Amino acid sequence: MASSSSSGLTFKLHPLVIVNISDHYTRVKSQLNLPPSLTSTSSAATSNNNNNNSNGGENNQQPPPRVYGCVIGVQRGRTVEIFNSFELIYDPSTRSLDRSFLEKKQELYKKVFPHFYVLGWYSTGSDAQESDMHFHKALMDINESPLYVLLNPAINPAQKDLPVTIYES
């Protein structure tokens, strides 16, 4: 998938990135919304996680989770090619990014793919939010102008294009 921007950059987003983000979102969502059969037969450990749920697991629907990660690839001239991505550990309540985890993942990718760089980050949701700026600023010491790849996981049967938006600083 290639698209141009108003700045004259051309973006090439490899399918693996979309699959990785979608997989990350699906895993987190499935962990948050356990089936009622598991929540009603579980021990006290699960009830501690669902202490605000007094409906016996029937109304266990939570708002869709936002997941975060880095996108990596290369920029050659005016073409930005995003090859891969990896998950990050981010706590939205404290607005903190696990820097040691990020640095370790970056180091491991550099060993295998020495020409790939952290181009920016990704998240899921229907729109960019003001709180995303904290995450964006946290990555500016790695890349002074990080890209932001936003995947909208909501299903819209009328939509023909992929629900992916790339924002540039």
Side-chain angles (χ1 to χ4, degrees):
M1 177 172 123
S3 64
S4 295
S5 68
S6 60
S7 67
L9 291 175
T10 299
F11 294 101
K12 293 182 179 180
L13 182 63
H14 287 250
L16 178 61
V17 178
I18 299 168
V19 170
N20 285 346
I21 298 170
S22 179
D23 174 65
H24 184 190
Y25 172 81
T26 303
R27 281 185 289 107
V28 169
K29 185 177 179 186
S30 68
Q31 290 169 359
L32 290 176
N33 295 321
L34 295 174
S37 61
L38 289 178
T39 57
S40 62
T41 60
S42 296
S43 64
T46 304
S47 66
N48 287 340
N49 292 335
N50 295 327
N51 58 4
N52 291 335
N53 185 7
S54 59
N55 297 336
E58 291 298 320
N59 249 347
N60 200 19
Q61 292 292 69
Q62 297 178 355
R66 278 181 82 87
V67 297
Y68 298 91
C70 275
V71 293
I72 59 174
V74 296
Q75 180 172 355
R76 293 182 200 100
R78 305 299 296 164
T79 301
V80 178
E81 204 162 356
I82 305 170
F83 287 109
N84 207 342
S85 63
F86 59 86
E87 302 170 18
L88 289 177
I89 301 171
Y90 179 72
D91 184 358
S93 61
T94 60
R95 296 179 177 163
S96 62
L97 175 65
D98 187 338
R99 296 298 291 192
S100 62
F101 181 79
L102 169 60
E103 290 164 5
K104 183 68 176 171
K105 290 291 275 190
Q106 207 177 356
E107 178 184 318
L108 292 172
Y109 264 96
K110 276 291 182 195
K111 287 181 180 179
V112 179
F113 303 106
H115 302 316
F116 284 11
Y117 296 95
V118 172
L119 297 174
W121 60 288
Y122 72 80
S123 75
T124 55
S126 59
D127 213 355
Q129 297 179 355
E130 189 174 323
S131 60
D132 292 339
M133 285 307 295
H134 296 286
F135 198 93
H136 192 79
K137 289 177 182 175
L139 288 178
M140 289 180 83
D141 61 334
I142 295 171
N143 184 327
E144 65 185 32
S145 184
L147 299 174
Y148 174 28
V149 179
L150 178 65
L151 173 76
N152 185 353
I155 298 171
N156 181 355
Q159 187 174 7
K160 301 281 187 227
D161 295 329
L162 289 171
V164 176
T165 306
I166 300 175
Y167 297 95
E168 50 186 307
S169 301

